Amino acid sequence: MFGRILSFIYGVVDYIIFLGSFLYAIAFVGDFWVPKTINAGSEAEIFWQGLLVNAGLLGLFAFQHSVMARDGFKKWWTKIIPKPIERSTYVLLSSLILILLFWQWRTMPEVIWSVESGVWQVVLFGFFGLGWGLVFLSTFMINHFDLFGLRQVYLHLKGKEITPIEFKEPGFYKYVRHPLMLGFIIAFWATPYMTLGHLVFSIATTGYIFVGIWFEERDLIRYHGEKYKEYRERVRMLIPFPKENLGD
Ligand SMILES: C[S@@+](CC[C@H](N)C(=O)[O-])C[C@H]1O[C@@H](n2cnc3c(N)ncnc32)[C@H](O)[C@@H]1O
């Protein structure tokens, strides 16, 4: 019982760290409210140095996120750490790498575009908010508490078996297969003030999202077989229009 309570506390603490880093990410990318943002903080003296540091930070996040989410890694990893805290540990490491990124990010202030019109600024901020809203709501449509490890430590606390999440098509998932990723793409690109640093961030994260989707769908087909294949035939990856309307 003691171990179960400890696992639960570990899961809750990880979730709080995740929530803090997620909220910070909104302000970091949006370039408001917090002292260190994508455009505010330390600038590398040599351009290539800054680019290398930023690429390294983004690469580290992508590497951790991709490797630790794979089945083969999980099988090996759960011989070392207990299964109920596997997801929480994944979430914790992701959050810590994000915090490292916020802290060590080098600004690259060269302006790529700057929207002066007040109306367009509001429109772009609206899309920025819409993107984050899409991310947040999509997590609840799949299973917010499973994605961030709380469900697993709760079931363990109650002495119940940890069952996998079934394939489903709730809410936004009826229109696109990856609404959460679509939300990130919108939030990362919708800005009235695009600097070179922000552009590097947006290009790298968008590229990584496509790689992540490829890996995720490979796993989803393995778990859910024909059901997911049929879903993929019928529903688009990211563009929320019925397939037949765009004729592919
Ligand atoms: C961070 S969520 C992202 C989901 C999706 N890629 C998106 O952008 O909305 C990743 C988890 O969602 C699960 N997942 C993705 N689509 C699903 C679906 N239609 N039904 C159930 N689980 C799904 C994957 O197996 C994975 O564990």
Side-chain angles (χ1 to χ4, degrees):
M1 191 61 200
F2 184 63
R4 285 179 187 177
I5 294 173
L6 269 188
S7 299
F8 184 70
I9 294 171
Y10 175 78
V12 172
V13 170
D14 289 356
Y15 181 78
I16 293 169
I17 296 172
F18 146 74
L19 211 54
S21 59
F22 180 81
L23 292 176
Y24 196 98
I26 299 175
F28 179 84
V29 179
D31 194 18
F32 50 67
W33 292 344
V34 292
K36 180 80 204 284
T37 73
I38 203 159
N39 295 326
S42 51
E43 184 185 344
E45 275 167 32
I46 305 164
F47 172 80
W48 289 108
Q49 243 175 27
L51 188 62
L52 268 179
V53 171
N54 291 347
L57 291 164
L58 290 162
L60 181 65
F61 183 82
F63 179 76
Q64 178 267 338
H65 233 65
S66 306
V67 172
M68 287 188 76
R70 302 285 70 80
D71 270 353
F73 179 89
K74 284 187 202 169
K75 271 193 193 117
W76 169 77
W77 187 221
T78 47
K79 285 181 190 147
I80 299 170
I81 62 156
K83 203 167 171 232
I85 60 163
E86 179 272 322
R87 188 69 189 179
S88 292
T89 308
Y90 171 84
V91 170
L92 174 66
L93 281 175
S94 307
S95 307
L96 292 179
I97 294 174
L98 264 190
I99 292 167
L100 178 73
L101 185 145
F102 301 148
W103 174 38
Q104 286 300 321
W105 181 259
R106 303 294 193 265
T107 59
M108 303 166 100
E110 295 78 2
V111 179
I112 306 295
W113 72 67
S114 173
V115 174
E116 304 302 330
S117 144
V119 174
W120 281 108
Q121 285 182 355
V122 171
V123 170
L124 285 166
F125 269 126
F127 272 101
F128 177 79
L130 178 92
W132 286 107
L134 211 55
V135 170
F136 190 66
L137 292 176
S138 301
T139 66
F140 283 96
M141 289 171 185
I142 288 287
N143 188 326
H144 181 84
F145 298 108
D146 184 88
L147 286 180
F148 301 108
L150 275 182
R151 175 176 168 266
Q152 293 83 334
V153 289
Y154 178 74
L155 287 175
H156 184 57
L157 180 71
K158 293 274 169 192
K160 291 187 183 156
E161 195 198 340
I162 301 167
T163 48
I165 296 292
E166 288 297 308
F167 166 75
K168 43 190 176 178
E169 288 181 51
F172 304 146
Y173 286 82
K174 286 187 187 67
Y175 307 100
V176 282
R177 304 195 301 273
H178 301 281
L180 196 147
M181 298 301 161
L182 175 64
F184 276 131
I185 294 175
I186 295 172
F188 294 164
W189 285 93
T191 175
Y193 188 71
M194 179 62 92
T195 59
L196 183 59
H198 193 150
L199 186 69
V200 166
F201 180 89
S202 303
I203 291 175
T205 48
T206 304
Y208 174 62
I209 282 171
F210 282 97
V211 174
I213 287 178
W214 187 85
F215 277 119
E216 187 180 307
E217 293 210 326
R218 205 182 56 163
D219 288 346
L220 283 162
I221 288 175
R222 207 169 30 230
Y223 302 143
H224 308 296
E226 283 307 315
K227 243 191 226 170
Y228 199 84
K229 279 190 191 160
E230 188 274 323
Y231 178 55
R232 213 156 72 139
E233 291 284 306
R234 191 166 34 87
V235 176
R236 286 181 182 280
M237 183 195 280
L238 293 168
I239 303 169
F241 291 114
K243 275 202 160 179
E244 60 272 21
N245 283 8
L246 290 181
D248 87 86

PDB file of all heavy atoms in Angstrom, residues 200-228:
ATOM      1  N   VAL A 200      12.583  29.351 -36.520  1.00  0.00           N
ATOM      2  CA  VAL A 200      13.338  28.105 -36.341  1.00  0.00           C
ATOM      3  C   VAL A 200      12.504  27.139 -35.487  1.00  0.00           C
ATOM      4  O   VAL A 200      12.359  25.961 -35.804  1.00  0.00           O
ATOM      5  CB  VAL A 200      14.705  28.389 -35.664  1.00  0.00           C
ATOM      6  CG1 VAL A 200      15.362  27.107 -35.168  1.00  0.00           C
ATOM      7  CG2 VAL A 200      15.623  29.119 -36.632  1.00  0.00           C
ATOM      8  N   PHE A 201      11.931  27.673 -34.415  1.00  0.00           N
ATOM      9  CA  PHE A 201      11.098  26.864 -33.512  1.00  0.00           C
ATOM     10  C   PHE A 201       9.907  26.271 -34.267  1.00  0.00           C
ATOM     11  O   PHE A 201       9.624  25.070 -34.168  1.00  0.00           O
ATOM     12  CB  PHE A 201      10.621  27.765 -32.361  1.00  0.00           C
ATOM     13  CG  PHE A 201       9.758  27.078 -31.353  1.00  0.00           C
ATOM     14  CD1 PHE A 201      10.317  26.444 -30.252  1.00  0.00           C
ATOM     15  CD2 PHE A 201       8.369  27.069 -31.489  1.00  0.00           C
ATOM     16  CE1 PHE A 201       9.517  25.798 -29.314  1.00  0.00           C
ATOM     17  CE2 PHE A 201       7.566  26.434 -30.557  1.00  0.00           C
ATOM     18  CZ  PHE A 201       8.138  25.806 -29.464  1.00  0.00           C
ATOM     19  N   SER A 202       9.227  27.123 -35.047  1.00  0.00           N
ATOM     20  CA  SER A 202       8.005  26.666 -35.739  1.00  0.00           C
ATOM     21  C   SER A 202       8.319  25.637 -36.809  1.00  0.00           C
ATOM     22  O   SER A 202       7.593  24.642 -36.957  1.00  0.00           O
ATOM     23  CB  SER A 202       7.262  27.850 -36.359  1.00  0.00           C
ATOM     24  OG  SER A 202       6.958  28.781 -35.361  1.00  0.00           O
ATOM     25  N   ILE A 203       9.397  25.861 -37.559  1.00  0.00           N
ATOM     26  CA  ILE A 203       9.752  24.902 -38.627  1.00  0.00           C
ATOM     27  C   ILE A 203      10.132  23.561 -37.994  1.00  0.00           C
ATOM     28  O   ILE A 203       9.652  22.499 -38.411  1.00  0.00           O
ATOM     29  CB  ILE A 203      10.906  25.452 -39.501  1.00  0.00           C
ATOM     30  CG1 ILE A 203      10.416  26.640 -40.331  1.00  0.00           C
ATOM     31  CG2 ILE A 203      11.465  24.352 -40.412  1.00  0.00           C
ATOM     32  CD1 ILE A 203      11.496  27.347 -41.136  1.00  0.00           C
ATOM     33  N   ALA A 204      10.983  23.620 -36.955  1.00  0.00           N
ATOM     34  CA  ALA A 204      11.457  22.369 -36.343  1.00  0.00           C
ATOM     35  C   ALA A 204      10.307  21.598 -35.703  1.00  0.00           C
ATOM     36  O   ALA A 204      10.185  20.381 -35.875  1.00  0.00           O
ATOM     37  CB  ALA A 204      12.541  22.672 -35.313  1.00  0.00           C
ATOM     38  N   THR A 205       9.443  22.297 -34.969  1.00  0.00           N
ATOM     39  CA  THR A 205       8.356  21.583 -34.282  1.00  0.00           C
ATOM     40  C   THR A 205       7.339  21.034 -35.295  1.00  0.00           C
ATOM     41  O   THR A 205       6.835  19.924 -35.123  1.00  0.00           O
ATOM     42  CB  THR A 205       7.639  22.496 -33.256  1.00  0.00           C
ATOM     43  OG1 THR A 205       7.344  23.733 -33.887  1.00  0.00           O
ATOM     44  CG2 THR A 205       8.485  22.742 -32.028  1.00  0.00           C
ATOM     45  N   THR A 206       7.077  21.793 -36.358  1.00  0.00           N
ATOM     46  CA  THR A 206       6.127  21.300 -37.367  1.00  0.00           C
ATOM     47  C   THR A 206       6.697  20.052 -38.036  1.00  0.00           C
ATOM     48  O   THR A 206       5.993  19.048 -38.218  1.00  0.00           O
ATOM     49  CB  THR A 206       5.818  22.395 -38.415  1.00  0.00           C
ATOM     50  OG1 THR A 206       5.331  23.547 -37.720  1.00  0.00           O
ATOM     51  CG2 THR A 206       4.776  21.937 -39.423  1.00  0.00           C
ATOM     52  N   GLY A 207       7.983  20.104 -38.381  1.00  0.00           N
ATOM     53  CA  GLY A 207       8.623  18.933 -38.985  1.00  0.00           C
ATOM     54  C   GLY A 207       8.528  17.746 -38.050  1.00  0.00           C
ATOM     55  O   GLY A 207       8.153  16.638 -38.454  1.00  0.00           O
ATOM     56  N   TYR A 208       8.795  17.992 -36.768  1.00  0.00           N
ATOM     57  CA  TYR A 208       8.767  16.894 -35.801  1.00  0.00           C
ATOM     58  C   TYR A 208       7.352  16.331 -35.625  1.00  0.00           C
ATOM     59  O   TYR A 208       7.165  15.125 -35.446  1.00  0.00           O
ATOM     60  CB  TYR A 208       9.350  17.333 -34.447  1.00  0.00           C
ATOM     61  CG  TYR A 208       9.156  16.226 -33.445  1.00  0.00           C
ATOM     62  CD1 TYR A 208       9.750  14.987 -33.639  1.00  0.00           C
ATOM     63  CD2 TYR A 208       8.296  16.388 -32.349  1.00  0.00           C
ATOM     64  CE1 TYR A 208       9.517  13.940 -32.763  1.00  0.00           C
ATOM     65  CE2 TYR A 208       8.061  15.345 -31.473  1.00  0.00           C
ATOM     66  CZ  TYR A 208       8.674  14.128 -31.699  1.00  0.00           C
ATOM     67  OH  TYR A 208       8.425  13.075 -30.848  1.00  0.00           O
ATOM     68  N   ILE A 209       6.355  17.208 -35.710  1.00  0.00           N
ATOM     69  CA  ILE A 209       4.956  16.749 -35.577  1.00  0.00           C
ATOM     70  C   ILE A 209       4.639  15.698 -36.655  1.00  0.00           C
ATOM     71  O   ILE A 209       4.026  14.669 -36.387  1.00  0.00           O
ATOM     72  CB  ILE A 209       3.990  17.957 -35.623  1.00  0.00           C
ATOM     73  CG1 ILE A 209       4.020  18.661 -34.256  1.00  0.00           C
ATOM     74  CG2 ILE A 209       2.566  17.539 -36.007  1.00  0.00           C
ATOM     75  CD1 ILE A 209       3.285  19.984 -34.204  1.00  0.00           C
ATOM     76  N   PHE A 210       5.125  15.950 -37.882  1.00  0.00           N
ATOM     77  CA  PHE A 210       4.858  14.979 -38.954  1.00  0.00           C
ATOM     78  C   PHE A 210       5.576  13.655 -38.690  1.00  0.00           C
ATOM     79  O   PHE A 210       5.012  12.590 -38.933  1.00  0.00           O
ATOM     80  CB  PHE A 210       5.231  15.573 -40.321  1.00  0.00           C
ATOM     81  CG  PHE A 210       4.179  16.532 -40.816  1.00  0.00           C
ATOM     82  CD1 PHE A 210       4.302  17.904 -40.630  1.00  0.00           C
ATOM     83  CD2 PHE A 210       3.030  16.047 -41.441  1.00  0.00           C
ATOM     84  CE1 PHE A 210       3.314  18.785 -41.047  1.00  0.00           C
ATOM     85  CE2 PHE A 210       2.029  16.925 -41.867  1.00  0.00           C
ATOM     86  CZ  PHE A 210       2.173  18.294 -41.674  1.00  0.00           C
ATOM     87  N   VAL A 211       6.792  13.748 -38.165  1.00  0.00           N
ATOM     88  CA  VAL A 211       7.523  12.514 -37.833  1.00  0.00           C
ATOM     89  C   VAL A 211       6.776  11.783 -36.705  1.00  0.00           C
ATOM     90  O   VAL A 211       6.552  10.567 -36.758  1.00  0.00           O
ATOM     91  CB  VAL A 211       8.975  12.846 -37.387  1.00  0.00           C
ATOM     92  CG1 VAL A 211       9.692  11.582 -36.910  1.00  0.00           C
ATOM     93  CG2 VAL A 211       9.742  13.505 -38.518  1.00  0.00           C
ATOM     94  N   GLY A 212       6.357  12.552 -35.684  1.00  0.00           N
ATOM     95  CA  GLY A 212       5.636  11.973 -34.540  1.00  0.00           C
ATOM     96  C   GLY A 212       4.352  11.294 -34.981  1.00  0.00           C
ATOM     97  O   GLY A 212       4.024  10.193 -34.519  1.00  0.00           O
ATOM     98  N   ILE A 213       3.626  11.941 -35.900  1.00  0.00           N
ATOM     99  CA  ILE A 213       2.361  11.361 -36.392  1.00  0.00           C
ATOM    100  C   ILE A 213       2.645  10.039 -37.113  1.00  0.00           C
ATOM    101  O   ILE A 213       1.932   9.052 -36.951  1.00  0.00           O
ATOM    102  CB  ILE A 213       1.636  12.358 -37.331  1.00  0.00           C
ATOM    103  CG1 ILE A 213       1.043  13.507 -36.502  1.00  0.00           C
ATOM    104  CG2 ILE A 213       0.553  11.665 -38.153  1.00  0.00           C
ATOM    105  CD1 ILE A 213       0.341  14.579 -37.312  1.00  0.00           C
ATOM    106  N   TRP A 214       3.725  10.020 -37.895  1.00  0.00           N
ATOM    107  CA  TRP A 214       4.068   8.794 -38.631  1.00  0.00           C
ATOM    108  C   TRP A 214       4.287   7.638 -37.648  1.00  0.00           C
ATOM    109  O   TRP A 214       3.729   6.559 -37.812  1.00  0.00           O
ATOM    110  CB  TRP A 214       5.318   9.043 -39.486  1.00  0.00           C
ATOM    111  CG  TRP A 214       5.619   7.877 -40.380  1.00  0.00           C
ATOM    112  CD1 TRP A 214       5.078   7.640 -41.619  1.00  0.00           C
ATOM    113  CD2 TRP A 214       6.485   6.775 -40.087  1.00  0.00           C
ATOM    114  NE1 TRP A 214       5.568   6.450 -42.111  1.00  0.00           N
ATOM    115  CE2 TRP A 214       6.443   5.897 -41.205  1.00  0.00           C
ATOM    116  CE3 TRP A 214       7.304   6.441 -39.015  1.00  0.00           C
ATOM    117  CZ2 TRP A 214       7.177   4.723 -41.262  1.00  0.00           C
ATOM    118  CZ3 TRP A 214       8.040   5.263 -39.078  1.00  0.00           C
ATOM    119  CH2 TRP A 214       7.973   4.412 -40.184  1.00  0.00           C
ATOM    120  N   PHE A 215       5.061   7.884 -36.610  1.00  0.00           N
ATOM    121  CA  PHE A 215       5.328   6.853 -35.594  1.00  0.00           C
ATOM    122  C   PHE A 215       4.039   6.463 -34.863  1.00  0.00           C
ATOM    123  O   PHE A 215       3.757   5.301 -34.629  1.00  0.00           O
ATOM    124  CB  PHE A 215       6.337   7.354 -34.549  1.00  0.00           C
ATOM    125  CG  PHE A 215       7.771   7.211 -34.982  1.00  0.00           C
ATOM    126  CD1 PHE A 215       8.596   8.317 -35.112  1.00  0.00           C
ATOM    127  CD2 PHE A 215       8.308   5.951 -35.237  1.00  0.00           C
ATOM    128  CE1 PHE A 215       9.926   8.184 -35.499  1.00  0.00           C
ATOM    129  CE2 PHE A 215       9.630   5.799 -35.616  1.00  0.00           C
ATOM    130  CZ  PHE A 215      10.442   6.915 -35.758  1.00  0.00           C
ATOM    131  N   GLU A 216       3.262   7.484 -34.480  1.00  0.00           N
ATOM    132  CA  GLU A 216       2.043   7.220 -33.710  1.00  0.00           C
ATOM    133  C   GLU A 216       1.069   6.370 -34.526  1.00  0.00           C
ATOM    134  O   GLU A 216       0.484   5.413 -34.006  1.00  0.00           O
ATOM    135  CB  GLU A 216       1.395   8.549 -33.319  1.00  0.00           C
ATOM    136  CG  GLU A 216       0.217   8.365 -32.377  1.00  0.00           C
ATOM    137  CD  GLU A 216      -0.413   9.688 -31.985  1.00  0.00           C
ATOM    138  OE1 GLU A 216       0.308  10.586 -31.526  1.00  0.00           O
ATOM    139  OE2 GLU A 216      -1.630   9.825 -32.159  1.00  0.00           O
ATOM    140  N   GLU A 217       0.922   6.702 -35.806  1.00  0.00           N
ATOM    141  CA  GLU A 217      -0.042   5.951 -36.628  1.00  0.00           C
ATOM    142  C   GLU A 217       0.434   4.520 -36.864  1.00  0.00           C
ATOM    143  O   GLU A 217      -0.383   3.600 -36.954  1.00  0.00           O
ATOM    144  CB  GLU A 217      -0.302   6.687 -37.944  1.00  0.00           C
ATOM    145  CG  GLU A 217      -1.019   7.998 -37.694  1.00  0.00           C
ATOM    146  CD  GLU A 217      -1.913   8.425 -38.828  1.00  0.00           C
ATOM    147  OE1 GLU A 217      -1.568   8.164 -39.994  1.00  0.00           O
ATOM    148  OE2 GLU A 217      -2.978   9.018 -38.539  1.00  0.00           O
ATOM    149  N   ARG A 218       1.741   4.336 -36.955  1.00  0.00           N
ATOM    150  CA  ARG A 218       2.270   2.970 -37.101  1.00  0.00           C
ATOM    151  C   ARG A 218       1.850   2.132 -35.886  1.00  0.00           C
ATOM    152  O   ARG A 218       1.385   1.012 -36.005  1.00  0.00           O
ATOM    153  CB  ARG A 218       3.793   3.051 -37.196  1.00  0.00           C
ATOM    154  CG  ARG A 218       4.415   1.885 -37.912  1.00  0.00           C
ATOM    155  CD  ARG A 218       5.890   2.007 -37.927  1.00  0.00           C
ATOM    156  NE  ARG A 218       6.436   2.145 -36.566  1.00  0.00           N
ATOM    157  CZ  ARG A 218       7.699   1.957 -36.250  1.00  0.00           C
ATOM    158  NH1 ARG A 218       8.558   1.652 -37.187  1.00  0.00           N
ATOM    159  NH2 ARG A 218       8.131   2.098 -35.010  1.00  0.00           N
ATOM    160  N   ASP A 219       1.973   2.741 -34.683  1.00  0.00           N
ATOM    161  CA  ASP A 219       1.563   2.037 -33.456  1.00  0.00           C
ATOM    162  C   ASP A 219       0.047   1.839 -33.419  1.00  0.00           C
ATOM    163  O   ASP A 219      -0.437   0.781 -33.030  1.00  0.00           O
ATOM    164  CB  ASP A 219       1.979   2.832 -32.207  1.00  0.00           C
ATOM    165  CG  ASP A 219       3.483   2.782 -31.995  1.00  0.00           C
ATOM    166  OD1 ASP A 219       4.146   1.940 -32.628  1.00  0.00           O
ATOM    167  OD2 ASP A 219       3.999   3.592 -31.196  1.00  0.00           O
ATOM    168  N   LEU A 220      -0.698   2.883 -33.806  1.00  0.00           N
ATOM    169  CA  LEU A 220      -2.159   2.793 -33.747  1.00  0.00           C
ATOM    170  C   LEU A 220      -2.680   1.686 -34.661  1.00  0.00           C
ATOM    171  O   LEU A 220      -3.619   0.965 -34.310  1.00  0.00           O
ATOM    172  CB  LEU A 220      -2.792   4.146 -34.107  1.00  0.00           C
ATOM    173  CG  LEU A 220      -2.731   5.195 -32.988  1.00  0.00           C
ATOM    174  CD1 LEU A 220      -2.951   6.602 -33.539  1.00  0.00           C
ATOM    175  CD2 LEU A 220      -3.776   4.902 -31.911  1.00  0.00           C
ATOM    176  N   ILE A 221      -2.028   1.537 -35.821  1.00  0.00           N
ATOM    177  CA  ILE A 221      -2.446   0.461 -36.739  1.00  0.00           C
ATOM    178  C   ILE A 221      -2.110  -0.894 -36.118  1.00  0.00           C
ATOM    179  O   ILE A 221      -2.884  -1.839 -36.208  1.00  0.00           O
ATOM    180  CB  ILE A 221      -1.788   0.647 -38.132  1.00  0.00           C
ATOM    181  CG1 ILE A 221      -2.433   1.840 -38.830  1.00  0.00           C
ATOM    182  CG2 ILE A 221      -1.926  -0.618 -38.978  1.00  0.00           C
ATOM    183  CD1 ILE A 221      -1.820   2.230 -40.145  1.00  0.00           C
ATOM    184  N   ARG A 222      -0.974  -0.955 -35.459  1.00  0.00           N
ATOM    185  CA  ARG A 222      -0.604  -2.218 -34.814  1.00  0.00           C
ATOM    186  C   ARG A 222      -1.606  -2.598 -33.713  1.00  0.00           C
ATOM    187  O   ARG A 222      -2.000  -3.739 -33.580  1.00  0.00           O
ATOM    188  CB  ARG A 222       0.804  -2.103 -34.227  1.00  0.00           C
ATOM    189  CG  ARG A 222       1.451  -3.451 -34.157  1.00  0.00           C
ATOM    190  CD  ARG A 222       2.908  -3.502 -33.839  1.00  0.00           C
ATOM    191  NE  ARG A 222       3.425  -2.453 -33.002  1.00  0.00           N
ATOM    192  CZ  ARG A 222       4.493  -1.744 -33.304  1.00  0.00           C
ATOM    193  NH1 ARG A 222       5.121  -1.943 -34.427  1.00  0.00           N
ATOM    194  NH2 ARG A 222       4.943  -0.816 -32.477  1.00  0.00           N
ATOM    195  N   TYR A 223      -2.027  -1.611 -32.912  1.00  0.00           N
ATOM    196  CA  TYR A 223      -2.963  -1.899 -31.810  1.00  0.00           C
ATOM    197  C   TYR A 223      -4.380  -2.145 -32.312  1.00  0.00           C
ATOM    198  O   TYR A 223      -5.076  -3.021 -31.832  1.00  0.00           O
ATOM    199  CB  TYR A 223      -3.054  -0.752 -30.805  1.00  0.00           C
ATOM    200  CG  TYR A 223      -1.768  -0.354 -30.149  1.00  0.00           C
ATOM    201  CD1 TYR A 223      -1.513   0.990 -29.869  1.00  0.00           C
ATOM    202  CD2 TYR A 223      -0.813  -1.301 -29.787  1.00  0.00           C
ATOM    203  CE1 TYR A 223      -0.329   1.381 -29.257  1.00  0.00           C
ATOM    204  CE2 TYR A 223       0.366  -0.914 -29.186  1.00  0.00           C
ATOM    205  CZ  TYR A 223       0.611   0.427 -28.931  1.00  0.00           C
ATOM    206  OH  TYR A 223       1.772   0.823 -28.347  1.00  0.00           O
ATOM    207  N   HIS A 224      -4.824  -1.272 -33.227  1.00  0.00           N
ATOM    208  CA  HIS A 224      -6.257  -1.291 -33.565  1.00  0.00           C
ATOM    209  C   HIS A 224      -6.556  -1.871 -34.946  1.00  0.00           C
ATOM    210  O   HIS A 224      -7.721  -1.963 -35.336  1.00  0.00           O
ATOM    211  CB  HIS A 224      -6.832   0.126 -33.458  1.00  0.00           C
ATOM    212  CG  HIS A 224      -6.548   0.795 -32.145  1.00  0.00           C
ATOM    213  ND1 HIS A 224      -7.048   0.329 -30.960  1.00  0.00           N
ATOM    214  CD2 HIS A 224      -5.787   1.871 -31.830  1.00  0.00           C
ATOM    215  CE1 HIS A 224      -6.612   1.103 -29.965  1.00  0.00           C
ATOM    216  NE2 HIS A 224      -5.845   2.036 -30.465  1.00  0.00           N
ATOM    217  N   GLY A 225      -5.512  -2.187 -35.711  1.00  0.00           N
ATOM    218  CA  GLY A 225      -5.651  -2.868 -36.996  1.00  0.00           C
ATOM    219  C   GLY A 225      -6.594  -2.188 -37.968  1.00  0.00           C
ATOM    220  O   GLY A 225      -6.498  -0.984 -38.212  1.00  0.00           O
ATOM    221  N   GLU A 226      -7.553  -2.984 -38.501  1.00  0.00           N
ATOM    222  CA  GLU A 226      -8.454  -2.520 -39.561  1.00  0.00           C
ATOM    223  C   GLU A 226      -9.247  -1.273 -39.160  1.00  0.00           C
ATOM    224  O   GLU A 226      -9.502  -0.407 -39.979  1.00  0.00           O
ATOM    225  CB  GLU A 226      -9.433  -3.639 -39.946  1.00  0.00           C
ATOM    226  CG  GLU A 226      -8.819  -4.709 -40.815  1.00  0.00           C
ATOM    227  CD  GLU A 226      -8.138  -4.132 -42.056  1.00  0.00           C
ATOM    228  OE1 GLU A 226      -8.732  -3.256 -42.710  1.00  0.00           O
ATOM    229  OE2 GLU A 226      -7.005  -4.558 -42.365  1.00  0.00           O
ATOM    230  N   LYS A 227      -9.602  -1.212 -37.860  1.00  0.00           N
ATOM    231  CA  LYS A 227     -10.405  -0.077 -37.389  1.00  0.00           C
ATOM    232  C   LYS A 227      -9.668   1.235 -37.690  1.00  0.00           C
ATOM    233  O   LYS A 227     -10.244   2.192 -38.196  1.00  0.00           O
ATOM    234  CB  LYS A 227     -10.574  -0.194 -35.860  1.00  0.00           C
ATOM    235  CG  LYS A 227     -11.984  -0.377 -35.411  1.00  0.00           C
ATOM    236  CD  LYS A 227     -12.044  -0.216 -33.910  1.00  0.00           C
ATOM    237  CE  LYS A 227     -12.846  -1.288 -33.272  1.00  0.00           C
ATOM    238  NZ  LYS A 227     -12.752  -1.321 -31.833  1.00  0.00           N
ATOM    239  N   TYR A 228      -8.389   1.250 -37.375  1.00  0.00           N
ATOM    240  CA  TYR A 228      -7.629   2.494 -37.588  1.00  0.00           C
ATOM    241  C   TYR A 228      -7.367   2.716 -39.076  1.00  0.00           C
ATOM    242  O   TYR A 228      -7.418   3.849 -39.548  1.00  0.00           O
ATOM    243  CB  TYR A 228      -6.318   2.514 -36.791  1.00  0.00           C
ATOM    244  CG  TYR A 228      -5.815   3.943 -36.667  1.00  0.00           C
ATOM    245  CD1 TYR A 228      -6.303   4.783 -35.666  1.00  0.00           C
ATOM    246  CD2 TYR A 228      -4.933   4.478 -37.604  1.00  0.00           C
ATOM    247  CE1 TYR A 228      -5.903   6.118 -35.593  1.00  0.00           C
ATOM    248  CE2 TYR A 228      -4.527   5.804 -37.530  1.00  0.00           C
ATOM    249  CZ  TYR A 228      -5.011   6.612 -36.516  1.00  0.00           C
ATOM    250  OH  TYR A 228      -4.626   7.935 -36.436  1.00  0.00           O
TER     251      TYR A 228
END
